[in-house]
Amino acid sequence: MEIEGKIIAVIPAREGVSSRGNQWKSQDYVIETHEQYPKKCCFNVFGSDKIQLFNIQVGEELRVSFDIDAHEYQGRWFNSVRAWKVERIDPNATPEPAQGAPFVQPAPAAPAMDSAAGEPAPFASQSESGSEDDLPF
């Protein structure tokens, strides 16, 4: 999944030693989208190497790719939003068009013709099923 927005908070890093004796480091960040109704999302980066590589700062415009997962601890469930890729966005760049086929406005349907007068019929002709209305019940 991806989210684009501005980093509004950098939470201090947490670090420790796992039960296997391995050191770990994790840091949380808050990103806010630029939608009509902005949304905030807290995500984390795990590993001191990735924290240094991404070097995320408050005020940066980013596109963050992340995985969502949940884990259980003592009968309670917790969500994890872990970033695996971070791209900086140039605020002066023009937005890219959406991927896939471009949207094409469908052509309007041709009006029903009154065969006797050769003019558009005042209403659509009755369907082949013989129903006088188009209600589904």
Side-chain angles (χ1 to χ4, degrees):
M1 301 181 84
E2 284 186 349
I3 189 170
E4 289 185 12
K6 181 178 182 178
I7 298 297
I8 60 170
V10 176
I11 313 301
R14 298 181 318 267
E15 51 189 298
V17 179
S18 71
S19 60
R20 296 180 186 154
N22 299 325
Q23 289 195 344
W24 59 268
K25 188 173 185 180
S26 177
Q27 188 158 16
D28 293 338
Y29 306 88
V30 180
I31 190 168
E32 183 176 44
T33 65
H34 297 297
E35 300 168 347
Q36 180 180 359
Y37 301 105
K39 301 202 178 12
K40 296 178 181 96
C41 177
C42 182
F43 66 93
N44 81 7
V45 175
F46 189 82
S48 59
D49 56 337
K50 286 188 180 177
I51 293 170
Q52 288 178 352
L53 176 67
F54 295 157
N55 191 27
I56 299 172
Q57 305 295 320
V58 172
E60 287 186 307
E61 294 289 331
L62 301 177
R63 177 181 303 116
V64 179
S65 300
F66 57 90
D67 291 326
I68 298 176
D69 195 15
H71 63 277
E72 186 261 339
Y73 178 72
Q74 296 182 349
R76 294 185 62 193
W77 285 89
F78 300 89
N79 289 321
S80 170
V81 180
R82 183 160 296 163
W84 55 270
K85 179 179 171 185
V86 173
E87 300 172 286
R88 285 174 171 69
I89 299 173
D90 182 5
N92 299 325
T94 58
E96 295 179 16
Q99 293 182 358
F103 176 75
V104 177
Q105 181 72 26
M113 298 297 281
D114 183 1
S115 59
E119 297 177 0
F123 52 86
S125 62
Q126 194 172 1
S127 69
E128 293 178 16
S129 66
S131 173
E132 291 185 17
D133 60 26
D134 61 348
L135 297 176
F137 49 89

